[in-house]
Amino acid sequence: MIAILDYGSGNVRSAQRAFATSGMDVVITSDRAVALEAKGLVVPGVGAFAACMQGLNAVDGASIIRERISAERPVLGICIGMQILFSQGSEHAQNAPHTGVGIWDAEVSKLDAPILPHMGWNTVEAAESSDLLAGIEDQFFYFVHSYAAKQAVGQKQSWSTYGERFLAVVEDDYVSATQFHPEKSGDAGLALIKNWTKNL
Amino acid sequence: MTLSVRIIPCLDVTDGRVVKGVNFTNLVDAGDPVEMASVYGIEGADELTFLDISASVVGRETTLDVVRRTAEQVFIPLTVGGGIRSVQDVDRLLRAGADKISINTSAIARPELIAEIADRFGAQVLVLSVDARRARTESGFEVTTHGGREGTDIDALAWVEKACALGVGEILLNSMDADGTRAGYDIGMITAVRAVSKVPLIASGGAGTLSDFAAALDAGADALLAASVFHFGIHRISDVKNYLTSHNYPVRVTSPK
């Protein structure tokens, strides 16, 4: 079973349907035990960094994520669900950046591009050994974001470029993340989901 | 790596049915929005837009169901517009499976609605739909309501600037003069709006020939919305994409199944 962490963030319904195309059962939950026990945990996310962290903290999400990773149970972050895995986010931050879950020690900051958000279909430079992008290295994925991580973290990095180069996918043992929305990326996105679920 | 231009078919929906001139081949039921959304998805649409023109509460409830069923089987972004007046309306549509919502008349009546939606859900879910026509306002473009039938005396460029400051994530610019004419997008209007906005711009109204799509991109549009040319099969989405590819515009090509 796959659990999609429900912490008050936007459209989780289509994520549920997209992950269900893998053939696995998918539940939307904020229940700690369910989220810990699921074979895979998806951390979705829509909205601003701080608002997402607030929602995440309300369901004790950071500790669920950390506990899963130390128990070698896979976690996949999507979009803002990727960004909050980093240590810091500068979105709408007044003085000091907001604190994230801190799985990766780097800051998520605004993209340097004339038109934001980066909205639409873009390609990625896939890491050679990428499991998530295997067979779909040359495909397009749907992005909607104005902030991104720009430093290499984790074991494998796949990059994309909009104004500047940023991390599109991180794969780091049991925790992976995509800046784009696989659940909104048509057949390519469903293929990525399948690549993730088959290794659960 | 370049961001692709987006081709977006728009479906007018009322009481759960697609209306306004649809002549689709290879469909069991050309009036079913879910079925049409699915076909457009397969044909390579980069996003889909539903415009709910229902006049009744029951019609709007039906639209929620259409959104739900579409989101269950079409895995590309879905924008829904029409009749959205509150944060609660937005919440219901997003929960049903919409990825973005577009607002128009309600934002003109109460601009704070823009900030309320953006604060709650993020600007990226919020598309400002601007129905504009040429008129004697300062910039020469005026915002209209009721599908272009009623003027507002609001200058379109001033409105776009104000709305961007309040927090919209994208602008859908509909030319009321060009709408339905198939005589080409209003290039002057696209150029003018592009110059005052720093969010993605979707051009709408007037698409006729394949070169019309390219001209709108040259004027600064990031995405191209069309209705009748697709619904009547004058162009298929792949025709537009092939044309743009051959003229060196970045488009998303999908692998054949």
Side-chain angles (χ1 to χ4, degrees):
Chain A
M1 186 192 71
I2 295 169
I4 296 178
L5 190 62
D6 182 5
Y7 60 107
S9 138
N11 177 6
V12 283
R13 186 186 177 83
S14 53
Q16 182 183 27
R17 297 297 301 203
F19 280 82
T21 62
S22 69
M24 293 183 74
D25 291 332
V26 184
V27 296
I28 298 171
T29 186
S30 55
D31 184 277
R32 186 183 171 82
V34 175
L36 283 173
E37 287 309 309
K39 272 194 160 180
L41 177 72
V42 178
V43 183
V46 170
F49 190 98
C52 262
M53 278 307 296
Q54 206 176 7
L56 193 71
N57 288 333
V59 301
D60 206 13
S63 103
I64 293 171
I65 292 167
R66 285 196 205 96
E67 206 169 308
R68 281 191 65 96
I69 294 170
S70 50
E72 305 189 345
R73 289 180 166 272
V75 174
L76 175 67
I78 295 174
C79 196
I80 309 295
M82 169 184 190
Q83 296 183 4
I84 55 165
L85 296 176
F86 286 78
S87 53
Q88 295 181 319
S90 64
E91 184 172 7
H92 303 287
Q94 300 296 334
N95 301 307
H98 299 294
T99 303
V101 177
I103 305 300
W104 298 309
D105 188 18
E107 186 176 336
V108 175
S109 59
K110 198 166 197 170
L111 282 170
D112 182 12
I115 292 175
L116 288 173
H118 173 216
M119 186 180 283
W121 300 79
N122 209 331
T123 50
V124 297
E125 297 166 49
E128 265 184 42
S129 53
S130 173
D131 295 313
L132 287 181
L133 294 165
I136 45 172
E137 296 87 350
D138 59 348
Q139 294 294 298
F140 291 76
F141 299 93
Y142 191 80
F143 292 82
V144 187
H145 62 121
S146 296
Y147 291 74
K150 300 151 196 179
Q151 279 170 262
V153 297
Q155 291 172 338
K156 303 173 197 170
Q157 305 87 30
S158 301
W159 301 85
S160 192
T161 302
Y162 182 70
E164 60 184 318
R165 205 157 170 262
F166 66 88
L167 278 178
V169 182
V170 176
E171 293 164 80
D172 195 16
D173 268 341
Y174 295 96
V175 56
S176 322
T178 66
Q179 179 59 71
F180 53 78
H181 287 271
E183 79 282 16
K184 286 285 143 190
S185 294
D187 291 339
L190 299 182
L192 184 143
I193 287 168
K194 195 119 204 177
N195 282 343
W196 185 67
T197 56
K198 77 183 176 204
N199 289 320
L200 292 178
Chain B
M1 267 159 295
T2 313
L3 180 61
S4 301
V5 302
R6 286 170 283 151
I7 309 299
I8 308 172
C10 177
L11 300 169
D12 285 0
V13 178
T14 183
D15 300 309
R17 304 287 294 172
V18 174
V19 290
K20 198 170 106 176
V22 173
N23 180 15
F24 231 61
T25 50
N26 306 323
L27 273 191
V28 177
D29 175 5
D32 177 22
V34 182
E35 194 179 357
M36 287 186 67
S38 178
V39 169
Y40 281 134
I42 290 164
E43 290 196 339
D46 296 307
E47 286 184 20
L48 293 164
T49 292
F50 285 158
L51 184 60
D52 181 3
I53 55 172
S54 301
S56 67
V57 174
V58 176
R60 301 231 180 272
E61 289 297 326
T62 310
T63 296
L64 281 177
D65 183 55
V66 167
V67 170
R68 252 178 233 121
R69 289 187 292 126
T70 304
E72 282 176 1
Q73 49 184 281
V74 185
F75 299 110
I76 59 173
L78 173 64
T79 302
V80 182
I84 295 162
R85 290 188 179 83
S86 66
V87 165
Q88 289 70 34
D89 292 340
V90 176
D91 191 44
R92 289 185 336 146
L93 281 165
L94 296 181
R95 284 182 185 278
D99 299 289
K100 298 189 261 188
I101 58 92
S102 77
I103 56 172
N104 183 348
T105 311
S106 58
I108 295 167
R110 206 169 66 80
E112 315 87 79
L113 180 62
I114 293 171
E116 289 169 15
I117 294 170
D119 287 349
R120 170 85 183 271
F121 305 103
Q124 80 290 332
V125 308
L126 181 53
V127 183
L128 180 75
S129 180
V130 181
D131 290 350
R133 67 181 177 196
R134 286 170 183 264
R136 286 183 189 154
T137 58
E138 193 183 337
S139 70
F141 303 105
E142 177 196 24
V143 177
T144 69
T145 59
H146 301 85
R149 291 193 304 276
E150 292 184 23
T152 60
D153 288 329
I154 298 170
D155 184 80
L157 298 194
W159 171 233
V160 164
E161 286 187 283
K162 180 176 179 180
C164 285
L166 285 166
V168 301
E170 195 171 20
I171 293 163
L172 168 58
L173 179 65
N174 312 299
S175 166
M176 290 297 117
D177 300 314
D179 190 40
T181 63
R182 293 187 203 147
Y185 291 98
D186 187 332
I187 298 303
M189 187 186 284
I190 295 167
T191 306
V193 171
R194 171 77 293 160
V196 298
S197 56
K198 290 183 172 155
V199 297
L201 175 61
I202 307 167
S204 166
T209 67
L210 293 173
S211 63
D212 291 340
F213 291 92
L217 296 174
D218 292 342
D222 301 291
L224 303 162
L225 182 138
S228 67
V229 290
F230 293 138
H231 302 331
F232 284 98
I234 295 168
H235 305 303
R236 300 186 73 150
I237 289 168
S238 58
D239 298 332
V240 178
K241 289 194 160 186
N242 289 339
Y243 177 88
L244 293 174
T245 302
S246 68
H247 288 75
N248 295 317
Y249 295 90
V251 300
R252 174 178 71 118
V253 282
T254 45
S255 308
K257 287 192 189 174

